[in-house]
Amino acid sequence: IDSYPLRTIASLKGNNASGVADSLGIKCKVAGVVHGVNFRTGGLQFSVLDNANKGIGVFNNANTLGYTVKEGDKIEVKGTVAQFRGLTQ
């Protein structure tokens, strides 16, 4: 059993009536294309877009996990869905 099942970005983007992401805490992986640059010098902060141009932020506070962000890379990202200042990541 894969503890990080593949999900679509669109399925993770919903919010409840209070504006809180309804997918908080879900462990999953998403696939897409890197858009933009890494906004953190000591970690990761960038966006991934799927084929339908739905996007989600990727964030790791202090670790690059050995990945150098390059726009256009096709990647899969495993993690737990969180929210920061209204943005699902």
Side-chain angles (χ1 to χ4, degrees):
I1 297 176
D2 188 353
S3 59
Y4 292 89
L6 182 63
R7 304 254 182 163
T8 65
I9 292 173
S11 73
L12 302 173
K13 300 286 288 181
N15 293 318
N16 66 21
S18 299
V20 176
D22 56 15
S23 55
L24 283 180
I26 291 177
K27 289 183 177 184
C28 62
K29 66 182 166 188
V30 295
V33 177
V34 174
H35 180 74
V37 298
N38 186 10
F39 291 101
R40 291 193 74 77
T41 55
L44 293 170
Q45 184 178 1
F46 63 95
S47 297
V48 174
L49 300 178
D50 65 11
N51 292 337
N53 271 342
K54 300 291 183 188
I56 194 163
V58 176
F59 181 82
N60 187 301
N61 186 47
N63 194 332
T64 65
L65 307 170
Y67 176 61
T68 301
V69 176
K70 182 178 175 195
E71 187 168 48
D73 280 355
K74 292 182 180 180
I75 63 171
E76 282 189 352
V77 180
K78 290 183 179 183
T80 303
V81 178
Q83 189 174 32
F84 179 73
R85 294 188 179 173
L87 299 175
T88 303
Q89 50 189 18

